[in-house]
Amino acid sequence: MDQSLIFGAAAVLFCIRDARLLAARCRLFLAYPPLLVGTAAGCGLVAETLSATEARALLADFRFWAPAAAIHGALSFRSGRRGLRGELPDWLSILPTPVLCVVLIGAARYVLAGIDGATGLPVGLALGVSYGCVVALASVAPFARRTASGALRFASVAHVSALLLVPALAVPDRPLAVQDVNWAVTGLVLASVLAILGASFLWHRARSR
């Protein structure tokens, strides 16, 4: 399965997460830009120094994705509890996640490979600013409900889905131009993510009553 499909799904999922959290508490706009831009700049530097072989080895390493999955599990639990208690999102809720960092590194590597003379720092900064602008625009869209409990519950669901996305990122990359996508495997992964999203949403909704 082509990793770009997983990268794209993860980017959209966490973009919606961030947009809803920011819409629920506007004060987070003060903390979000430096957190995102700093993380994106670091991801750009990592992408510049990491070879393709090293990147694949890192993704396949249990020492990387097991702690990453644990972090997402902890963030999901925390967001879920805060949502059920009716608390507001805080700066910990908008921290860039391991999956988002992997997406930024992958995007930076793609840009660096396609543009001669590009360096990691400006590429990372550009990606961070671009992603932040999309999140800011999405935060004023109608789907970004301004209820804190709803935003936190969605953040919890997003992190639960990342428990599947993190190990799935370890699947070897197979470019579309070289080999066709295995749509059966792709569909199975996407269906599993949707099933987890639906189950988590129904569980949180039942507990909030």
Side-chain angles (χ1 to χ4, degrees), residues 5-16:
L5 296 175
I6 304 176
F7 285 169
V12 171
L13 185 65
F14 284 98
C15 178
I16 297 174

Side-chain angles (χ1 to χ4, degrees), residues 93-114:
S93 304
I94 57 170
L95 283 176
T97 62
V99 165
L100 182 58
C101 290
V102 170
V103 171
L104 290 172
I105 292 173
R109 281 191 51 79
Y110 180 81
V111 174
L112 289 171

Side-chain angles (χ1 to χ4, degrees), residues 1-161:
M1 179 174 49
D2 191 77
Q3 285 182 351
S4 61
L5 296 175
I6 304 176
F7 285 169
V12 171
L13 185 65
F14 284 98
C15 178
I16 297 174
R17 181 207 74 156
D18 294 347
R20 294 196 61 178
L21 290 172
L22 293 175
R25 192 176 189 187
C26 294
R27 289 184 180 181
L28 293 179
F29 273 103
L30 298 176
Y32 186 74
L35 286 173
L36 176 62
V37 172
T39 300
C43 290
L45 292 174
V46 171
E48 185 179 18
T49 59
L50 206 62
S51 67
T53 302
E54 291 171 335
R56 285 192 292 268
L58 178 63
L59 288 178
D61 194 338
F62 177 82
R63 293 171 296 179
F64 164 75
W65 61 260
I71 291 172
H72 281 281
L75 290 174
S76 175
F77 178 78
R78 183 178 183 277
S79 296
R81 285 183 64 87
R82 290 181 67 87
L84 291 174
R85 292 175 178 176
E87 299 176 358
L88 292 173
D90 57 4
W91 67 274
L92 287 176
S93 304
I94 57 170
L95 283 176
T97 62
V99 165
L100 182 58
C101 290
V102 170
V103 171
L104 290 172
I105 292 173
R109 281 191 51 79
Y110 180 81
V111 174
L112 289 171
I115 301 179
D116 293 334
T119 57
L121 183 59
V123 168
L125 290 173
L127 289 173
V129 171
S130 300
Y131 179 84
C133 289
V134 173
V135 170
L137 290 174
S139 67
V140 298
F143 72 84
R145 300 176 183 176
R146 298 183 181 276
T147 58
S149 59
L152 285 167
R153 286 198 298 270
F154 183 85
S156 179
V157 172
H159 289 295
V160 169
S161 68

